[in-house]
Amino acid sequence: MIRTYKLKQLANNEKQIKIISVIKEYRKTAISISNYQWKNFFLNKKFNKNLDIKHIKSKLSERYKQTNQYQVVGILQSYLSNIQNKFVQIVYKSTFDSDTKMKLFFINKYQLWFTNSVKLQGELINTDILKISRKIIKNLFKKNRKPNLSKINLSLDKKVAIIEKSKTSEFEYWIKLSTLESGKPVIIPLKSNNYFESIQGEIKNFCQINLDKNNEISVLLIKDVPDEKDSYIPDKELIGIDIGLCNLITLDNGNMFGKKIFAYLKHYDQIITNLAKNLQKQKIKLSQNKRYCSLVKKVRNYLKNEINRIFNRVIKLNKPKEIV
């Protein structure tokens, strides 16, 4: 089972500028590749992750462009899969007879909407049915916007990003990331955490590098984790839990977890509320204030991490078959 985990990156300002320049160029290139893939789709009836894209102008190396194309095609195929599911729903709810529905399902399954001649069990499908399939799929393309790749984040393999264990005590991992300057990669130090290290699994040589609207960079590593369903053996039938605020979770045996969350929330609620009042008096939009957004994000991340950590701890200590 593949899972991603966010680690704190410790790149200095100079390195971050180079990383951001890569991300921006990667996004521009993704748009160009997507446009080219759509042309190929309508011409050859499919996306192709191995298309020759040397003609596409980009500051990225050819290795980077190929990595980019793999990611773009994955996104486009996921979009197309969703369109196919909607096609099925439309045909299923329609008043077409069962034979027409079966033929439309066949055309949709094999993405044959734009093929001039389609055979099913050795017999040609009527051109009127082919026209119906084209009409449905074109209508779905109009109603469902194509993926917006202008905000795409980087999913990189070892061709352009090498992950290695650190030999220093200051950080645990580093990523050797290719940049827009040939032969001049940047080294991104990564600070690990107890949760990441406690997860059993193999670290894959694949990473995600994200850039948010505040130009903040985040890095995620990937682990191939054993499926917990295969290894989990419950010790008891069930446990009862009560969700609260002063104590996040209280078990039926009286054990309590998450006693510090309420104090943390109370402390930051006062800070965020006062800041929001001051910004509103100055007629500044909250979403445009970097400090406000950073505080809200910090609290959300804390809550998410604590809730997940506590639930995992409850399950690890009690190993129930069922939670009530």
Side-chain angles (χ1 to χ4, degrees):
M1 185 186 299
I2 300 298
R3 290 188 173 178
T4 58
Y5 302 91
K6 184 178 177 181
L7 269 63
K8 185 177 181 181
Q9 62 87 8
L10 303 173
N12 59 33
N13 288 336
E14 185 180 348
K15 289 182 179 180
Q16 290 195 45
I17 290 170
K18 290 183 178 180
I19 297 167
I20 291 171
S21 67
V22 170
I23 295 172
K24 290 181 177 180
E25 186 65 23
Y26 193 93
R27 289 173 173 176
K28 283 170 59 180
T29 306
I31 294 170
S32 299
I33 292 173
S34 175
N35 293 337
Y36 189 53
Q37 283 290 341
W38 276 113
K39 287 180 182 178
N40 181 71
F41 174 80
F42 289 112
L43 186 65
N44 298 312
K45 318 298 185 293
K46 63 180 180 180
F47 298 118
N48 181 359
K49 67 180 182 180
N50 294 312
L51 275 182
D52 185 352
I53 52 173
K54 289 180 181 177
H55 67 281
I56 292 178
K57 293 181 179 180
S58 173
K59 294 177 184 177
L60 298 175
S61 67
E62 292 303 317
R63 287 180 301 156
Y64 247 124
K65 285 164 67 177
Q66 194 58 52
T67 300
N68 195 321
Q69 179 164 238
Y70 274 43
Q71 184 178 352
V72 168
V73 169
I75 293 169
L76 297 182
Q77 286 177 335
S78 177
Y79 166 80
L80 196 60
S81 179
N82 291 333
I83 292 293
Q84 285 179 276
N85 291 337
K86 291 180 179 181
F87 186 105
V88 170
Q89 293 171 8
I90 290 170
V91 174
Y92 183 78
K93 294 177 182 179
S94 72
T95 57
F96 296 131
D97 59 71
S98 58
D99 182 63
T100 301
K101 285 184 177 180
M102 181 187 69
K103 290 174 180 175
L104 287 170
F105 288 146
F106 177 82
I107 293 167
N108 182 61
K109 180 179 179 179
Y110 294 101
Q111 302 177 2
L112 301 172
W113 314 287
F114 303 105
T115 305
N116 295 325
S117 177
V118 179
K119 283 187 177 181
L120 175 60
Q121 296 177 345
E123 293 186 9
L124 285 171
I125 293 178
N126 189 294
T127 54
D128 289 338
I129 296 177
L130 289 174
K131 288 178 181 177
I132 292 170
S133 74
R134 287 190 199 110
K135 187 174 182 180
I136 294 171
I137 199 69
K138 285 180 179 179
N139 191 44
L140 284 170
F141 281 145
K142 285 180 182 177
K143 288 185 176 180
N144 297 272
R145 288 186 300 175
K146 295 175 184 176
N148 177 14
L149 301 180
S150 65
K151 301 296 182 183
I152 189 175
N153 290 312
L154 282 60
S155 295
L156 308 175
D157 60 17
K158 61 183 179 181
K159 290 197 295 292
V160 291
I162 299 172
I163 302 164
E164 290 193 5
K165 268 270 193 183
S166 170
K167 295 180 181 179
T168 73
S169 58
E170 296 176 16
F171 55 90
E172 285 69 35
Y173 302 93
W174 54 262
I175 298 175
K176 186 178 180 181
L177 179 72
S178 298
T179 63
L180 303 182
E181 298 177 79
S182 179
K184 294 183 179 180
V186 294
I187 306 299
I188 307 174
L190 299 178
K191 187 71 178 173
S192 188
N193 53 67
N194 293 335
Y195 177 68
F196 179 74
E197 297 298 335
S198 68
I199 301 295
Q200 297 298 315
E202 178 191 359
I203 299 175
K204 309 301 287 184
N205 207 143
F206 191 94
C207 66
Q208 293 180 9
I209 300 180
N210 304 337
L211 182 69
D212 65 18
K213 61 183 180 181
N214 295 318
N215 268 1
E216 291 185 8
I217 300 166
S218 58
V219 177
L220 294 90
L221 296 190
I222 293 174
K223 272 190 177 183
D224 190 355
V225 180
D227 194 339
E228 293 177 0
K229 291 180 182 178
D230 297 333
S231 59
Y232 184 76
I233 302 173
D235 282 348
K236 57 181 70 174
E237 276 300 307
L238 61 83
I239 58 171
I241 68 170
D242 180 50
I243 307 295
L245 190 58
C246 291
N247 302 302
L248 180 68
I249 290 178
T250 303
L251 302 188
D252 51 8
N253 61 12
N255 289 341
M256 293 178 287
F257 299 82
K259 297 178 181 180
K260 297 179 180 178
I261 287 181
F262 181 66
Y264 181 93
L265 286 178
K266 194 173 179 182
H267 171 71
Y268 275 97
D269 176 66
Q270 190 65 47
I271 295 172
I272 292 171
T273 301
N274 290 340
L275 177 60
K277 287 179 181 177
N278 289 332
L279 292 172
Q280 287 168 351
K281 284 180 182 178
Q282 299 174 59
K283 296 182 179 180
I284 298 173
K285 290 184 178 180
L286 300 182
S287 60
Q288 294 177 346
N289 184 266
K290 191 172 182 179
R291 181 166 179 253
Y292 177 85
C293 293
S294 178
L295 284 169
V296 170
K297 183 180 178 180
K298 180 179 180 179
V299 172
R300 283 178 179 167
N301 287 340
Y302 172 83
L303 276 175
K304 181 180 177 180
N305 291 336
E306 279 299 289
I307 290 169
N308 288 338
R309 184 187 66 80
I310 290 167
F311 265 103
N312 286 337
R313 181 160 175 76
V314 167
I315 293 168
K316 185 177 181 180
L317 292 175
N318 296 274
K319 293 188 176 179
K321 185 176 182 181
E322 182 182 358
I323 295 175
V324 179

